[in-house]
Amino acid sequence: MHPTIVALSSAPGKAGVAVIRVSGSRTRFVLETIARVIPEPRVATLRRLVDAAGDTIDSALILFFAAPASFTGEDVAEFHVHGSRAILARLLAILTALPGVRLAEAGEFTRRAFEAGKLDLAAVEGLADLIDSETEWQRQQALRQMDGALSGFATSWRHSLIDAMSLLAAELDFSDEGDVSGPLQQQALAVAEEVLASLRVALGSFAMGERVREGFVVVLAGPPNAGKSSLLNALARRDVAIVSPIAGTTRDILEVRLDLAGLPVILIDTAGLRDSADPIEAEGVRRARALVARADLVVALRGVDSEPYRVESTAELLQIATKADLPGPVLPGERAISVKTGAGLTDLLAEIVTRLQRLGSGEPALLTRERHRIAVADAVAALDRAVMAGHGQGELLAEDIRVAVVALERLVGRIDVEDVLDRLFAGFCIGK
């Protein structure tokens, strides 16, 4: 039996209200000890919380969730108290002094929910992403995964493949029976082909899912003194980069995370692209070119007072003419902006958002982590073998389909998950 655990589930620090959560077999004992009552399940009740001497700790709203109808599957209680550091410290000290009660470890509440079958691994990852979400697109994607979108697809794929395995087993084991008829192997392959097509669609969504989760990479690139650092500061609305008329001032990579219309964006300022004998600047230029090569969008800058310049990149390219407050030509295909006057900055932001939105689809991606991609890719490879074999040997076809089923079971955490769980729950807060 698990020990009963307790933790602060709201953010630490001074607040109007704070929530302390308890889960485990001694939850009812905890309620009787400090609230003198076990309230009706799921009904908020106002009670005085008291210590062993009967002195009041605080007045609190208490909630009780009886097992198994709770987040962890165990008895769970929540104490909604005033968010004073003194109250929280006193209440946690009293609770953890009770026999059989201890502080929770990072992610332990969610781990218990997983072990009780309340959440599968994909849903747990969605919950982690939801807690970490900073933009609207991240929230939508994480919420969809936490609500079981990926789990639902994985379950459907798995059930279909098990049906295909059953057809193959019937053909192999009962081919001489009168009630087993029809081209069962062809039926099984048709099911496998249908699942394979769906898996390929999901696999194609991974790049977008990863980008929404991690952030779209937008790189500011161009020759020295093109105004990259000034633009970074203007878009970040704070001084991030040192701005100087001296060419080569920026030598390292500077990153700023932005929320642009709900899109998570990593805006990167890079060293001016030019040949340099200075080994430090040359390294900065090498890193800049590497970032340009893997960016989702490259904002290529050129001052209107400088010569034409073309950034070489296979990524989406947005050509910008900076220093539009100075005399100089704006070339075809360029957008004119001036950091000094602010001219064109609003339109530039809108264009960046439009370009990034084009990379996405109408709904959040199913696959958002490298672990998801590997599991689905393994299932695709196995079903590819089954569909393309053409040898008609039912035993080999069944084995390929079985391998695909095992890959999908890894996807939702039915097997081989301990290492994944240890890493995942270590990133949760204590009260989750």
Side-chain angles (χ1 to χ4, degrees):
M1 182 180 296
H2 287 310
T4 297
I5 54 175
V6 59
L8 175 66
S9 288
S10 53
K14 183 179 178 181
V17 176
V19 179
I20 289 179
R21 177 186 283 176
V22 179
S23 178
S25 60
R26 296 186 65 79
T27 297
R28 295 170 189 258
F29 167 72
V30 169
L31 286 167
E32 290 174 335
T33 300
I34 71 167
R36 301 291 195 260
V37 68
I38 299 176
E40 183 181 346
R42 300 178 181 275
V43 176
T45 304
L46 181 65
R47 299 290 294 183
R48 281 192 319 122
L49 305 182
V50 297
D51 59 18
D55 295 331
T56 299
I57 305 167
D58 192 19
S59 293
L61 278 177
I62 57 175
L63 285 164
F64 174 60
F65 304 89
S70 70
F71 176 70
T72 62
E74 305 173 321
D75 284 344
V76 171
E78 290 182 356
F79 300 96
H80 296 235
V81 298
H82 296 96
S84 154
R85 290 185 176 90
I87 291 173
L88 295 177
R90 178 66 175 151
L91 184 54
L92 285 171
I94 290 172
L95 290 174
T96 53
L98 296 175
V101 180
R102 64 164 172 80
L103 280 176
E105 298 176 359
E108 191 169 2
F109 287 94
T110 306
R111 184 156 193 158
R112 292 189 179 192
F114 172 80
E115 292 171 347
K118 296 291 183 176
L119 299 171
D120 65 20
L121 185 56
V124 170
E125 290 169 329
L127 175 57
D129 289 344
L130 185 63
I131 293 171
D132 291 337
S133 64
E134 297 177 340
T135 73
E136 180 61 16
W137 278 38
Q138 288 177 330
R139 183 194 67 81
Q140 290 179 9
Q141 178 170 283
L143 187 62
R144 184 168 183 252
Q145 186 171 331
M146 190 189 75
D147 285 345
L150 177 57
S151 306
F153 273 93
T155 299
S156 175
W157 293 327
R158 179 177 176 273
H159 285 171
S160 295
L161 293 179
I162 289 175
D163 288 343
M165 292 171 65
S166 299
L167 291 171
L168 291 171
E171 183 179 70
L172 290 168
D173 297 337
F174 306 106
S175 58
D176 57 341
E177 298 291 334
D179 58 350
V180 177
S181 60
L184 298 185
Q185 187 174 119
Q186 287 74 15
Q187 292 178 37
L189 283 174
V191 172
E193 288 177 348
E194 183 178 350
V195 173
L196 178 59
S198 182
L199 287 170
R200 289 191 189 281
V201 172
L203 195 59
S205 75
F206 170 69
M208 176 52 57
E210 184 182 43
R211 277 295 180 251
V212 170
R213 184 171 173 269
E214 300 291 341
F216 293 88
V217 177
V218 177
V219 175
L220 306 180
N225 279 350
K228 299 183 294 298
S229 297
S230 296
L231 180 58
L232 179 78
N233 290 341
L235 297 182
R237 298 184 179 180
R238 56 190 175 91
D239 289 337
V240 179
I242 298 173
V243 176
S244 166
I246 301 172
T249 298
T250 301
R251 298 188 174 198
D252 207 349
I253 306 303
L254 297 175
E255 294 185 3
V256 174
R257 301 189 72 91
L258 302 176
D259 178 349
L260 300 183
L263 292 173
V265 174
I266 304 172
L267 186 64
I268 303 178
D269 181 22
T270 60
L273 301 178
R274 67 172 180 177
D275 294 330
S276 175
D278 184 325
I280 298 177
E281 185 180 358
E283 175 62 18
V285 172
R286 186 196 65 78
R287 294 184 183 185
R289 294 191 191 280
L291 282 168
V292 166
R294 69 175 183 85
D296 296 300
L297 175 65
V298 175
V299 180
L301 284 74
R302 177 195 69 89
V304 297
D305 57 346
S306 64
E307 296 295 320
Y309 188 90
R310 174 79 181 179
V311 174
E312 298 298 329
S313 174
T314 57
E316 181 88 3
L317 203 63
L318 179 55
Q319 300 278 2
I320 301 296
T322 62
K323 308 178 186 179
D325 52 292
L326 300 177
V330 176
L331 303 178
E334 292 182 335
R335 285 178 166 269
I337 67 165
S338 170
V339 172
K340 184 175 181 180
T341 66
L345 293 182
T346 300
D347 290 341
L348 172 60
L349 281 173
E351 181 64 18
I352 290 174
V353 169
T354 298
R355 298 283 188 100
L356 295 179
Q357 286 176 336
R358 286 179 194 161
L359 301 176
S361 58
E363 62 181 29
L366 273 180
L367 310 184
T368 61
R369 293 172 180 251
E370 179 66 9
R371 188 187 69 80
H372 303 167
R373 186 196 67 77
I374 291 173
V376 171
D378 288 348
V380 166
L383 293 180
D384 258 335
R385 288 194 301 271
V387 170
M388 299 300 292
H391 45 55
Q393 297 185 33
E395 297 94 335
L396 297 179
L397 293 177
E399 175 60 17
D400 285 333
I401 294 176
R402 186 196 68 81
V403 170
V405 170
V406 169
L408 295 177
E409 289 177 340
R410 289 203 314 270
L411 181 63
V412 294
R414 290 179 181 267
I415 57 173
D416 297 337
V417 297
E418 284 306 313
D419 289 342
V420 175
L421 291 176
D422 289 341
R423 290 194 302 270
L424 178 61
F425 291 129
F428 274 80
C429 61
I430 299 297
K432 198 64 180 176

